[in-house]
Amino acid sequence: TGRVALVTGASVGIGAAVARALVQHGMKVVGCARSVDKIEKLAAECQSAGYSGVLIPYKCDLSNEEEILSMFSAIKTLHQGVDVCINNAGLARPEPLLSGKTEGWRMMIDVNVMAVSICTREVYRSMKERNIDDGHIININSMNGHSVVPQSVVHFYSATKYAVTALTEGLRQELREAKTHIRATCISPGLVETGFAFKLHDNDPERAAATYESIRCLKAEDMANAVIYVLSAPPHVQVSCNSCEITSLL
Ligand code: NJP
């Protein structure tokens, strides 16, 4: 309660559900994405619902380092800094290894790997400057970050999520060496019913619908609950979730 959280990719899907849940739990949440109008709408909904926290929309293209750095300096000026960071923004483009476009691969690297790394470094700096020792960094990973499935359109995406697995584990080691109690967790969902698969299939609704019908899906709210669970553990408890995969039985 009262702490500042940054949620990347808060405009739709899992990020929007996480932002809403954190506001409901009383946090001051900076939600960023390119479609800031959607975050503004969500902020108004949270306000009308009478939630005890607040959602502050921020427009940021996470594939652009300068925009990320400006966002961190605005957060420092207006809200002192970030206590909790949910690195959620991510994308999958249908670019197989044998025939994919470099541009599509680069977009995935920029958002899924570079933005996560830049935000992590900046959040740590923000916590250190204010002697915050109970901060938390949560990376929304994927089951594809722990095993390679035989589906060529997701192989490059999977590689970027393997990077998230390594980044979170490495981060936990660096935090331990730095003798802080800041925690790092990654959460790895199976398929979640959001707009994600539409984008993966080039906005083809039939192929996206077939994906969602073929696998049991989680809801974005299930992921928000997982984030709340991780954050509500007592300060000495670190939920690592390295291969803690979350799937649906329904
Ligand atoms: O995806 P989607 P999810 N700059 O497409 C933002 C992982 N995951 O919520 O900029 C800034 O509904 C985008 O905002 P906008 C997945 O890898 C998912 O399902 O307005 N923001 C939007 O808010 C990802 O890490 C599934 O377009 C950028 C958000 O990212 C996380 O869960 C399964 C951006 C994407 O919303 C959230 O995915 C799994 C940029 N350049 C892992 N580019 C699943 N859904 O099935 C994108 O295993 N965003």
Side-chain angles (χ1 to χ4, degrees):
T1 305
R3 299 208 294 169
V4 177
L6 170 65
V7 179
T8 69
S11 55
V12 289
I14 296 169
V18 168
R20 180 196 291 273
L22 296 182
V23 173
Q24 203 167 359
H25 279 77
M27 293 192 88
K28 189 188 261 193
V29 179
V30 178
C32 74
R34 292 163 303 180
S35 330
V36 74
D37 50 320
K38 292 186 183 149
I39 311 177
E40 282 161 1
K41 206 167 153 241
L42 180 61
E45 277 170 33
C46 291
Q47 203 182 6
S48 326
Y51 295 160
S52 51
V54 62
L55 176 59
I56 301 143
Y58 196 95
K59 186 176 167 64
C60 180
D61 180 348
L62 292 159
S63 64
N64 181 327
E65 179 170 12
E66 278 176 25
E67 290 196 25
I68 301 179
L69 298 181
S70 311
M71 172 172 72
F72 275 93
S73 62
I75 296 174
K76 184 176 176 177
T77 309
L78 298 170
H79 315 291
Q80 282 74 59
V82 177
D83 305 309
V84 168
C85 175
I86 317 293
N87 281 314
N88 160 77
L91 71 142
R93 297 289 308 146
E95 311 285 5
L97 299 174
L98 297 183
S99 57
K101 289 189 286 303
T102 309
E103 194 188 301
W105 293 341
R106 193 162 280 135
M107 211 190 290
M108 287 186 265
I109 290 277
D110 282 346
V111 179
N112 301 3
V113 182
M114 291 307 293
V116 170
S117 308
I118 297 166
C119 287
T120 299
R121 183 190 64 207
E122 296 307 313
V123 161
Y124 178 64
R125 184 173 294 167
S126 165
M127 290 173 183
K128 211 167 156 226
E129 275 170 5
R130 295 170 301 128
N131 291 318
I132 298 291
D133 197 40
D134 60 351
H136 209 138
I137 298 168
I138 299 181
N139 294 332
I140 304 298
N141 196 346
S142 169
M143 282 174 67
N144 297 95
H146 304 278
S147 60
V148 175
V149 298
Q151 207 194 337
S152 65
V153 286
V154 295
H155 287 157
F156 195 93
Y157 167 74
S158 183
T160 65
K161 290 300 189 178
Y162 265 75
V164 173
T165 302
L167 289 171
T168 319
E169 182 56 26
L171 172 62
R172 212 174 293 121
Q173 284 183 20
E174 288 191 32
L175 290 169
R176 208 161 26 228
E177 281 161 22
K179 302 204 183 323
T180 92
H181 295 98
I182 296 167
R183 291 173 287 179
T185 300
C186 81
I187 301 178
S188 302
L191 197 63
V192 188
E193 216 173 331
T194 64
F196 182 82
F198 286 91
K199 296 170 200 168
L200 171 63
H201 293 297
D202 271 333
N203 297 321
D204 176 341
E206 275 175 29
R207 279 160 67 216
T211 304
Y212 286 131
E213 276 160 22
S214 66
I215 305 172
R216 292 163 169 176
C217 283
L218 295 159
K219 302 268 180 228
E221 290 68 30
D222 298 323
M223 296 310 298
N225 284 336
V227 169
I228 296 294
Y229 162 71
V230 167
L231 287 177
S232 49
H236 66 285
V237 176
Q238 174 160 249
V239 185
S240 305
C241 284
N242 252 349
S243 53
C244 166
E245 300 174 340
I246 302 182
T247 53
S248 169
L249 291 177
L250 297 177

